[in-house]
Amino acid sequence: MKLRPILWLLLPAAVLLAGFILAPSLDLFRASLFDPDFTMQHFQRLVDRGVYLDVMWRTIRVSLIVAVLCTVIGYPVAFFINLQPSRRQTLLLFLILIPMWMSILIRTYAWIVVLGRDGLVNQALAALGLAQEPVQMLFTSGAVLAAMVQILLPIQILTCYAAMTEIDFDLIRAARVLGARPRQAIARVFVPLSLDGTLTGLVIVFMLSMGFFITPALLGGRQDTMIANLIEFQVQRLNWSFAAALGVVLLVLTVAMIVLLRGAGRLLARRVLKGGL
Amino acid sequence: MTLMSYYVEGKNHMSVAGLSFRQVSKRYGRVTALDKFDLSVEPGEFVTFLGPSGSGKTTALNILAGFAEATEGDILIGERSVVKLPPERRNVGMVFQSYSLFPHLTVFENVAFPLRLRSVGAAQLTDKVREVLRMVHLEDFAQRMPNELSGGQRQRVAFARAVIFDPPVLLMDEPLSALDLKLREQMQLEIKRYHAQIGCTIIFVTHDQGEALALSDRVAVMREGRIAQVGTPQEIYDRPNSQYVAEFIGRTNLFRIGGGSGRWHIEELGMEVAPVDGVDPQKTGLSVRPEKIHPVGGGEEGQVTFDARLTQVIFQGDHVQYEATSPNGAPLIFQDHRGPGTRLMQSGDQIRLGFDPGDAVPVALDVA
Amino acid sequence: MNYTRFVLHAAIAASLAGPAAAEDKVLTIAGSGGVVKEITEKVFIPAFEEDTGWTTKFIAAESNIMLEVRTMLASGNMLYDAMEVSASNYPIGVQEGLLAPIDYALLDPDNQLPDKAKKEFGVVAAAYSTVLVQRLDKTPEGKKMQSWADFWDVETFPGPRSLNRQPQYTMEFALLADGVAKEDLYDVLGTDEGLDRAFAKLDEIKPYIPVWWTSGAQSVQLLSDGEVFYSSTYNGRVTKLQESGIPAEIVWNGGALHTSYVGIPKNAPNYKEAHDWIRVRTMRPDLEIQYVRQLPYPNFAPGLFDEMSEEVARNMPTYPANAEVQFVAYDEFWAANIDRIRERFDEWLLE
């Protein structure tokens, strides 16, 4: 077998990854442990002060909630699109893609307009007589969640949709004619077959959420700080080593959580595939 | 009653039912896919819908299964009208073209699927799945996944899954088209055997005329949303009612009829034959199957004979396919089945051919 | 690092070599680029050249100006005669001995500059303030905040507030609200008890601050959108807020006055003439008024406020009545204590 010429095809990607991902990552580890001599003080600080553990836990929690919300909201949308005639599918997918052309910053600012004290929601509440005083929505965890879900939702919709288009429609027909009511056909055939793609989407959204910082910075209060925000602050303050330690923690937590989610997903999949929903 | 005794009893079992299409039409906008389709199928009968793509055979099947809604007309399974029922309430089994096995389920679970939906108890379910898998010789494959099976094995799983809940009617949508020739012939035999065992009514859809002739009790040849002819395989082959059927089933020599009210004149052969009552010679041709034409020595009694020159010899082992031209230059085909003492002729040979007038079947010509 | 130094030095030397060699009477001034450079070249440099007959070369420092000066000093070849010194660079310059003392007998023999303008190693060239700003349309009927104590008084002045997400000056504001006299601010803040006291005071206001701003632009935006009614912000941005129709008003009392300087690097080749430049830059109201019209960062040029209307003058951080009630931001203190306090401040915010 002549594999060599094929391996060459990977060279540009390999160089790119080694030079711009692997090397900086290793340097990140180095920077977190050497300041300039070997020291664990930065990690020690992370562990010793409760506030940093709180931020880590919050980052994981927020990311999980966002990933689950995106899935719960996105899956039915993808399902709906999948049922439309193909020309309408194209249109709907296009509509879903449009927001992704806008920068996260702009989409985040849009939420300020919506959730502000004089924002659309508060104006509506006031007009309906539902609120005497403007409700504080901006700079809350709810605002961060809403915006993150809105920003990441298209990714989950598209991932679920891609998984669903892979499903042979004859399988659903087969289930029906063999005795499954529509809901049973969805639960026993459609959902299990789209499960893997959906879990992939969930993990992608989770991963992206873990690194979010613009949205929590602009829409959240001080309690909504995530690891990426801490990193940004520390970099601004030129505390490179502490920032690097935070970066290492973010990396390790993200990888660990992905492994965990994948495992949990596989377990869930096995259960679903065994007994149906 | 055990399952096996149930199979042995076959056609007498009460769950076997006939079915009938009553003036069923399906229109998509201005396109008519099925046009006043009318057909009655006896309980336990094996009926094939045969036709090229677009002839309406799949539409008829989809309407019967409940995947498509009839624009008008009614369908009865047994005594019951099913045309308004969703697929799951029609109680028909179905084998799909691509098998459509559930890729996330084992062979066992695929086959058990209809029973699980019918809330069959665990012990009974296991017994029944084992029995059906034994019938299709896959009892050792219960825990395999579909992608670990060969094409023929998948086919058998699909069959087992379709019949495990004793449907009175089994639908098969081109089930053999994905298999290679050898396997296809083998599976044809198996399907025949299963049909004999189970005895349920089978509606089989195919575009392969050989398959249709080999398997069916009756064949419905479809054309542009209508039935062109329905009958036993022999009737369809030997007595096609139209040029379309004659040419779609096997090969044939089609001769045009000239002349007036007296004897019919066959221009291609430069000869005359006796007219058939009640047939308009303007709209009629004579179909003579290749195997009905053979070389003749002298003036055999009652035979229609004519001169021809061989243009092509195709040796096929058990028979020889000859192509020839008539004195008027019309192309002819015939077969020789290499009986005792026959010799292989050469291209270019001048020969005399003949057929029995009774083997010339008047068929309606396609409107040009 | 050595490589960086080498490149820097080489670049600067190359940019100066030509003119400096050809013309003896050249004063080299280093500063920041952009608008400041533009106005400086338009307003101050022609005046200086006319007065002295010297020519000037204005170098917009590409990177950290103190790094450049440090490199030049180390190599024994100081190329700059005068330089802008930002508030944060001043303590570095003093600590590292990069600056030469100002000779006030030479610069200001008639003692025209107020004490606030005169530092040992620099003269105030521009000033701005971090002040409390309130939206008058959101304050209770007939009431206005007068001090940081009012900012802390959530009973009298309800509504969302914002403060800088940095401990600098925020800590001072807390201590002022707690009753510390502005003269004593840094003495108190320098002790552990004083720091605890500032954090204790901040604890009180923490629940009423939905958002801590991270840039001046954000603080103004928050006020403009009505997301907060009261906030600390930079005085220069308030004018724009008022011009957009927002009834914002500055509370000068308790504001932090930030000053940036013009100074002379140690071993400057033209020490005496550098004083002439500083005089033109800091003591000429006729020139300063032109600068202020473009950038709202005035200095203490004597008689500056005679050049403008009373209304405009009252919005200037160096206007005597405003300067008097503010404290001067003590950047040496922050240079020495920032790491310690900021770490605690950041963690306090996360609690």
Side-chain angles (χ1 to χ4, degrees):
Chain A
M1 284 257 271
K2 270 197 150 189
L3 269 177
R4 281 238 176 95
I6 289 170
L7 283 175
W8 279 109
L9 297 176
L10 298 177
L11 190 67
V15 166
L16 209 66
L17 286 177
F20 295 94
I21 302 286
L22 191 63
S25 299
L26 290 175
D27 196 54
L28 188 74
F29 278 92
R30 186 201 54 73
S32 69
L33 289 171
F34 293 87
D35 188 20
D37 297 318
F38 179 81
T39 173
M40 289 294 287
Q41 68 172 64
H42 301 296
F43 290 100
Q44 198 62 46
R45 179 177 166 195
L46 282 176
V47 178
D48 285 351
R49 312 281 172 85
V51 285
Y52 297 113
L53 295 177
D54 287 349
V55 171
M56 291 174 210
W57 168 231
R58 180 184 307 134
T59 305
I60 292 174
R61 196 180 58 220
V62 166
S63 302
L64 269 180
I65 294 173
V66 168
V68 168
L69 283 178
C70 280
T71 305
V72 169
I73 299 169
Y75 189 90
V77 174
F79 183 77
F80 173 83
I81 294 172
N82 194 50
L83 288 182
Q84 302 303 307
S86 71
R87 196 177 302 173
R88 201 177 303 158
Q89 285 189 15
T90 315
L91 176 75
L92 289 171
L93 289 174
F94 177 73
L95 291 177
I96 282 168
L97 274 171
I98 288 178
M100 298 192 71
W101 298 343
M102 272 176 254
S103 84
I104 288 179
L105 191 65
I106 291 171
R107 282 185 277 168
T108 301
Y109 270 119
W111 278 98
I112 295 180
V113 176
V114 173
L115 296 178
R117 292 182 70 88
D118 292 333
L120 297 175
V121 176
N122 268 320
Q123 281 178 15
L125 287 177
L128 295 169
L130 292 173
Q132 304 299 317
E133 284 282 300
V135 181
Q136 184 74 48
M137 286 177 285
L138 210 52
F139 315 122
T140 64
S141 307
V144 176
L145 283 181
M148 284 177 74
V149 167
Q150 187 251 337
I151 288 165
L152 293 170
L153 187 58
I155 293 173
Q156 178 61 313
I157 292 177
L158 292 176
T159 318
C160 286
Y161 172 81
M164 288 173 185
T165 53
E166 296 280 301
I167 299 174
D168 181 1
F169 192 70
D170 267 354
L171 292 175
I172 306 304
R173 290 178 150 192
R176 293 293 304 277
V177 80
L178 294 172
R181 289 193 297 276
R183 198 173 299 174
Q184 291 175 308
I186 289 166
R188 286 171 180 267
V189 178
F190 194 85
V191 169
L193 289 177
S194 53
L195 202 61
D196 202 47
T198 306
L199 281 173
T200 303
L202 187 132
V203 169
I204 292 174
V205 169
F206 176 82
M207 209 170 67
L208 293 172
S209 296
M210 287 290 282
F212 253 54
F213 86 95
I214 290 177
T215 307
L218 289 179
L219 299 182
R222 61 181 171 78
Q223 319 90 322
D224 298 302
T225 305
M226 290 174 55
I227 297 180
N229 299 106
L230 284 187
I231 294 176
E232 197 234 345
F233 283 128
Q234 297 305 326
V235 166
Q236 272 185 5
R237 286 160 191 195
L238 306 181
N239 295 335
W240 295 106
S241 290
F242 190 52
L246 283 164
V248 168
V249 165
L250 179 59
L251 189 69
V252 168
L253 280 182
T254 306
V255 171
M257 282 304 294
I258 288 172
V259 170
L260 211 75
L261 280 176
R262 277 262 145 221
R266 214 162 293 145
L267 228 86
L268 173 76
R270 206 170 301 153
R271 281 194 62 130
V272 169
L273 297 190
K274 267 243 169 78
L277 282 182
Chain B
M1 182 170 55
T2 72
L3 200 74
M4 281 320 286
S5 70
Y6 159 98
Y7 285 131
V8 169
E9 279 177 36
K11 292 186 185 186
N12 298 324
H13 193 269
M14 55 182 287
S15 83
V16 175
L19 63 97
S20 55
F21 288 88
R22 303 219 166 138
Q23 297 284 308
V24 178
S25 294
K26 176 68 183 175
R27 283 184 285 275
Y28 298 98
R30 294 168 63 186
V31 178
T32 300
L34 204 60
D35 191 8
K36 296 198 172 70
F37 188 79
D38 233 350
L39 181 73
S40 284
V41 178
E42 294 298 311
E45 199 178 7
F46 192 128
V47 172
T48 296
F49 295 169
L50 173 68
S53 59
S55 62
K57 58 187 194 303
T58 299
T59 305
L61 195 78
N62 283 340
I63 290 173
L64 177 55
F67 299 150
E69 208 175 317
T71 311
E72 60 191 34
D74 197 4
I75 296 176
L76 303 181
I77 295 180
E79 302 297 312
R80 188 173 66 139
S81 169
V82 296
V83 83
K84 294 270 187 281
L85 296 179
E88 65 271 19
R89 294 188 53 203
R90 296 193 179 197
N91 209 30
V92 297
M94 184 153 178
V95 178
F96 289 81
Q97 186 168 7
S98 49
Y99 319 136
S100 297
L101 298 183
F102 304 123
H104 59 299
L105 299 180
T106 59
V107 166
F108 185 94
E109 284 301 326
N110 262 283
V111 175
F113 190 84
L115 300 187
R116 292 214 182 275
L117 292 168
R118 287 165 175 78
S119 306
V120 174
Q124 204 190 338
L125 179 140
T126 307
D127 284 351
K128 196 149 186 182
V129 171
R130 289 232 178 93
E131 294 226 32
V132 177
L133 283 178
R134 195 175 308 138
M135 179 181 81
V136 297
H137 308 302
L138 286 174
E139 56 268 56
D140 295 337
F141 293 79
Q143 293 314 313
R144 297 278 186 95
M145 298 307 281
N147 62 8
E148 297 167 338
L149 301 180
S150 72
Q153 287 167 337
R154 288 181 206 188
Q155 175 65 64
R156 296 209 289 268
V157 175
F159 187 85
R161 186 181 67 175
V163 300
I164 192 168
F165 59 105
D166 307 331
V169 174
L170 174 63
L171 313 182
M172 305 184 84
D173 184 11
E174 309 230 12
L176 305 180
S177 60
L179 301 177
D180 63 45
L181 182 65
K182 255 218 157 84
L183 201 52
R184 193 153 62 211
E185 286 172 350
Q186 188 190 326
M187 286 307 297
Q188 282 175 15
L189 290 175
E190 283 193 36
I191 288 171
K192 257 190 124 97
R193 184 165 63 81
Y194 300 149
H195 181 229
Q197 276 184 21
I198 301 166
C200 72
T201 308
I202 292 183
I203 303 294
F204 190 98
V205 164
T206 184
H207 62 270
D208 183 321
Q209 39 108 359
E211 206 166 280
L213 298 178
L215 289 170
S216 319
D217 293 326
R218 276 195 298 158
V219 177
V221 182
M222 306 279 302
R223 180 188 193 190
E224 291 169 3
R226 292 165 173 272
I227 294 179
Q229 188 175 4
V230 60
T232 63
Q234 195 203 335
E235 281 167 359
I236 295 287
Y237 187 82
D238 287 345
R239 294 285 151 196
N241 65 358
S242 60
Q243 177 186 355
Y244 174 77
V245 174
E247 289 179 343
F248 190 75
I249 313 279
R251 305 182 67 186
T252 197
N253 295 288
L254 191 74
F255 303 120
R256 281 165 197 285
I257 301 167
S261 53
R263 288 178 69 80
W264 289 354
H265 181 69
I266 302 174
E267 225 166 89
E268 285 93 338
L269 306 179
M271 63 183 357
E272 293 192 335
V273 293
V276 178
D277 286 343
V279 175
D280 179 359
Q282 297 297 315
K283 296 179 180 168
T284 307
L286 289 176
S287 161
V288 183
R289 293 291 184 190
E291 67 276 10
K292 303 293 184 191
I293 297 176
H294 48 88
V296 291
E300 267 91 341
E301 270 303 298
Q303 290 261 332
V304 176
T305 60
F306 50 91
D307 290 321
R309 190 172 67 85
L310 283 180
T311 56
Q312 187 78 270
V313 179
I314 301 153
F315 183 72
Q316 305 247 326
D318 60 339
H319 71 276
V320 186
Q321 179 94 31
Y322 291 107
E323 290 181 16
T325 50
S326 74
N328 296 9
L332 293 164
I333 50 173
F334 68 97
Q335 282 172 13
D336 177 52
H337 286 270
R338 309 194 68 202
T342 51
R343 68 176 183 89
L344 200 61
M345 295 176 286
Q346 302 296 317
S347 180
D349 287 358
Q350 285 290 343
I351 52 170
R352 190 150 183 85
L353 296 173
F355 60 85
D356 190 307
D359 288 330
V361 182
V363 295
L365 287 174
D366 284 354
V367 184
Chain C
M1 197 51 116
N2 283 332
Y3 177 71
T4 316
R5 276 190 192 183
F6 171 77
V7 171
L8 255 177
H9 203 148
I12 295 162
S15 68
L16 296 178
E23 176 69 70
D24 263 343
K25 297 170 92 182
V26 172
L27 195 78
T28 306
I29 304 160
S32 52
V35 187
V36 173
K37 176 174 189 267
E38 246 174 65
I39 303 174
T40 304
E41 285 179 336
K42 210 170 81 192
V43 177
F44 297 111
I45 285 178
F48 170 78
E49 290 179 345
E50 197 179 316
D51 280 7
T52 59
W54 280 49
T55 53
T56 56
K57 179 148 186 72
F58 190 95
I59 308 290
E62 292 292 336
S63 56
N64 189 334
I65 194 166
M66 298 319 266
L67 179 63
E68 291 179 7
V69 170
R70 201 183 294 144
T71 313
M72 292 180 197
L73 262 183
S75 70
N77 186 16
M78 176 53 65
L79 299 169
Y80 297 156
D81 291 312
M83 60 194 279
E84 289 172 8
V85 183
S86 69
S88 55
N89 279 338
Y90 184 80
I92 298 171
V94 174
Q95 275 166 21
E96 295 191 19
L98 304 176
L99 297 173
I102 305 293
D103 184 346
Y104 281 101
L106 184 62
L107 176 75
D108 183 23
D110 301 334
N111 206 8
Q112 287 180 297
L113 284 169
D115 288 347
K116 270 196 161 87
K118 296 191 280 193
K119 287 256 190 181
E120 192 180 352
F121 295 95
V123 181
V124 171
Y128 69 94
S129 297
T130 306
V131 285
L132 168 56
V133 170
Q134 56 186 328
R135 275 189 62 159
L136 292 178
D137 55 336
K138 306 283 188 184
T139 51
E141 194 71 41
K143 286 179 183 156
K144 272 189 192 181
M145 284 191 180
Q146 308 284 344
S147 66
W148 287 106
D150 287 344
F151 185 88
W152 256 256
D153 181 358
V154 295
E155 300 289 320
T156 314
F157 297 98
R161 297 142 150 81
S162 187
L163 284 172
N164 192 352
R165 203 202 182 287
Q166 296 267 4
Q168 293 103 307
Y169 326 126
T170 301
M171 307 303 293
E172 286 96 316
F173 298 152
L175 286 178
L176 285 172
D178 206 32
V180 175
K182 64 186 199 304
E183 295 76 21
D184 303 333
L185 275 177
Y186 291 98
D187 290 338
V188 174
L189 203 53
T191 64
D192 287 345
E193 301 77 46
L195 197 60
D196 290 346
R197 184 175 167 186
F199 275 111
K201 193 66 183 172
L202 284 170
D203 280 337
E204 289 175 23
I205 202 70
K206 204 177 185 181
Y208 303 94
I209 300 194
V211 53
W212 295 73
W213 56 265
T214 52
S215 70
Q218 190 193 5
S219 63
V220 170
Q221 192 64 45
L222 290 167
L223 284 163
S224 171
D225 292 345
E227 293 302 338
V228 299
F229 303 166
Y230 318 99
S231 180
S232 62
T233 189
Y234 305 125
N235 74 289
R237 294 177 178 271
V238 179
T239 317
K240 288 213 176 86
L241 200 59
Q242 291 161 336
E243 281 167 2
S244 72
I246 305 287
E249 192 183 87
I250 292 173
V251 179
W252 288 103
N253 184 23
L257 185 67
H258 312 278
T259 45
S260 68
Y261 313 93
V262 51
I264 304 169
K266 195 174 264 180
N267 300 340
N270 302 295
Y271 178 76
K272 187 178 156 296
E273 288 73 14
H275 282 78
D276 294 332
W277 163 250
I278 294 174
R279 193 178 302 108
V280 168
R281 179 66 188 81
T282 63
M283 296 180 64
R284 289 277 297 273
D286 56 324
L287 303 176
E288 182 65 13
I289 184 69
Q290 296 178 50
Y291 177 90
V292 169
R293 281 193 188 118
Q294 313 249 7
L295 285 172
Y297 306 125
N299 58 23
F300 290 97
L304 170 63
F305 298 109
D306 301 337
E307 304 278 333
M308 55 183 89
S309 72
E310 177 73 7
E311 199 190 338
V312 175
R314 282 155 64 106
N315 266 323
M316 293 290 160
T318 53
Y319 184 68
N322 295 342
E324 192 157 317
V325 292
Q326 297 178 71
F327 64 93
V328 177
Y330 186 27
D331 293 307
E332 289 90 331
F333 173 84
W334 282 112
N337 295 289
I338 184 65
D339 288 341
R340 181 171 63 92
I341 296 179
R342 190 153 57 187
E343 193 174 311
R344 179 168 170 190
F345 185 80
D346 284 346
E347 290 173 1
W348 173 84
L349 272 177
L350 293 173
E351 276 163 12

